[in-house]
Amino acid sequence: MNRVLVTGGAGFVGSHLCERLLDAGTEVVAADNFATAVTANVAHLLERPGFRLLARDVTGPMSAPGPFDVVFHLASAASPRDYFRLPLETLRAGSHGTERALDIAERDDARFVLASTSEVYGDPQEHPQREEYWGNVNPIGPRSVYDEAKRYAEALTSAMRRERAVNTGIARIFNTYGPRMRPDDGRMIPTFIGQALAGEPLTVTGTGDQTRSLCYVDDTVGGLIALAGSDVPGPVNLGNPHELTVLRIAEEVLAVTGSASRIEHVEAAVDDPARRCPDISRARRELGWEPEVPLTEGLPRTVAWFARRRSGPHPAVGA
C-alpha cells in the first residue's frame, strides 16, 4: 500500500488506522466531516510527511486526489448516542457515502475495505456469530438507522464486486475500545471509565447479564490492514472471542481505576443485543489474524489515556 484514502479518518478507529499506515511508510489522505470526530485525534499527524487531512462529507460530492491503492470506508456515526442524534446522516453515510467511496475505488482500480459492524447480526439467535448468519434485526426500531445502513452498505459493496468487478472486502467489527474514544459518545467503555474517574455510579443497563466481546483498537486496526492486503471478499468478523457480561466489564473498570463508585442498574436499552461474541475462524484461516491484546493490558492503557485527558483540555466534537 503506497497511498490510501481513509474516510472517517479523524474518528476513533480511523485515526489509529491512519497512524499505523503512516508508521509503515504509506501515504495517507484522511477525509472527515467532523460530525462525530475531533481534530485532536489527528493533530499529532498533521505535520508528518505523507499525511493530508481533508474536510469532506462523504455523502456529498467527494473529490479526493488519487490515485489510491486502497480505500478504507470508515465514515459513519458508530455509537448509539451519535446515530440517535444523527439518524438521517447515519443512513446517508451507509448508502450515499458507501457509493461515493466505492466510486473512488473503482476509478483508481483500488482495493476497497468496508468497515461494517457486528450490529448487522442484531439481537442474534446464533451464538457465537458466524459470517454465514443473516441476523435478527428490527428494521424499523431506533437502532435500525445504524444496523440497516451497514447492512445496505454490505449489499452495495457485494453488488459492486459482482457486477463491476471492484476489488472489495467487508470487515464486521465487534466492540472495539481504546484511547481516543470520546468520553461523551455513550458507549460502554468510555461511559464506565468516565463515571469511575468522576466517582459517579456506573450505570449498567438492564440486568447486566448481556454479554460483549471487547477488542483493543490496535488489534482491530491490524485486522483491517490484513484484510486490505488480501483478496478476501468477506465478510470477515474482526473481534475478540472472549465473552464477558456487561456487569463483569463494569467491575473490571472499577478494579483498574481503583474507584469507590457503586454500580447502578438503569432501564434496558431498546433492541439491545443479549449476547455478542464473534466466531473468528474465518479471520484466523484466511487472514492469519487474531487479537493479541488482552483486556488486562488494553483496559489499563485506555484508563490511563482517559485519566490524562481529564487533566487537560477537552476538545469538542467538530472542533
Side-chain angles (χ1 to χ4, degrees):
M1 289 182 282
N2 295 313
R3 193 164 189 268
V4 307
L5 172 66
V6 181
T7 72
F12 161 49
V13 175
S15 64
H16 283 277
L17 175 61
C18 290
E19 187 170 25
R20 178 83 69 88
L21 291 167
L22 286 169
D23 289 344
T26 300
E27 185 178 349
V28 177
V29 176
D32 210 298
N33 70 351
F34 296 96
T36 62
V38 293
T39 52
N41 285 344
V42 291
H44 64 298
L45 304 179
L46 293 176
E47 301 302 321
R48 288 188 58 170
F51 181 73
R52 183 177 178 185
L53 178 63
L54 303 177
R56 296 284 191 278
D57 186 340
V58 74
T59 66
M62 181 68 181
S63 61
F68 299 106
D69 302 301
V70 180
V71 175
F72 292 93
H73 181 42
L74 279 68
S76 176
S79 74
R81 182 171 294 175
D82 285 337
Y83 56 71
F84 291 162
R85 178 174 60 90
L86 301 166
L88 299 180
E89 292 86 347
T90 301
L91 286 163
R92 292 189 192 107
S95 54
H96 301 321
T98 302
E99 185 172 5
R100 302 285 188 275
L102 279 162
D103 286 344
I104 293 171
E106 183 181 30
R107 178 197 73 187
D108 294 345
D109 195 23
R111 171 76 163 160
F112 177 84
V113 175
L114 172 68
S116 188
T117 172
S118 60
E119 296 293 334
V120 300
Y121 298 122
D123 188 2
Q125 296 176 341
E126 173 181 295
H127 192 80
Q129 291 83 61
R130 298 172 301 136
E131 291 88 351
E132 292 80 7
Y133 177 55
W134 291 355
N136 177 41
V137 175
N138 178 355
I140 59 171
R143 298 172 72 99
S144 66
V145 297
Y146 183 62
D147 301 355
E148 296 294 3
K150 290 296 189 180
R151 287 163 70 93
Y152 176 83
E154 288 195 15
L156 179 59
T157 298
S158 299
M160 287 288 281
R161 184 180 182 91
R162 288 190 300 267
E163 302 302 315
R164 307 272 282 269
V166 179
N167 181 8
T168 63
I170 298 170
R172 287 179 179 163
I173 298 174
F174 281 66
N175 295 77
T176 298
Y177 73 101
R180 299 183 201 153
M181 298 188 85
R182 286 196 354 256
D184 64 345
D185 81 357
R187 283 181 279 193
M188 174 178 58
I189 289 294
T191 297
F192 285 169
I193 292 176
Q195 290 169 336
L197 293 176
E200 300 170 351
L202 273 63
T203 50
V204 171
T205 58
T207 64
D209 292 331
Q210 64 271 35
T211 66
R212 297 294 182 266
S213 304
L214 301 177
C215 191
Y216 190 64
V217 64
D218 288 357
D219 285 329
T220 298
V221 165
L224 290 171
I225 291 173
L227 180 59
S230 76
D231 60 0
V232 174
V236 179
N237 289 336
L238 297 180
N240 193 322
H242 181 54
E243 185 181 11
L244 295 169
T245 67
V246 170
L247 187 58
R248 172 67 184 280
I249 294 168
E251 292 168 346
E252 291 291 332
V253 169
L254 290 176
V256 171
T257 58
S259 173
S261 295
R262 59 185 177 84
I263 292 174
E264 177 181 295
H265 292 267
V266 297
E267 184 178 358
V270 176
D271 295 331
D272 192 30
R275 301 190 74 181
R276 183 57 54 76
C277 182
D279 181 326
I280 62 169
S281 300
R282 180 176 293 180
R284 286 178 171 135
R285 182 177 64 252
E286 299 184 11
L287 301 180
W289 176 89
E290 61 182 334
E292 299 178 354
V293 181
L295 190 66
T296 53
E297 294 180 16
L299 188 56
R301 294 180 197 173
T302 307
V303 168
W305 183 86
F306 274 91
R308 289 194 300 272
R309 189 182 183 282
R310 281 176 59 83
S311 61
H314 292 197
V317 176

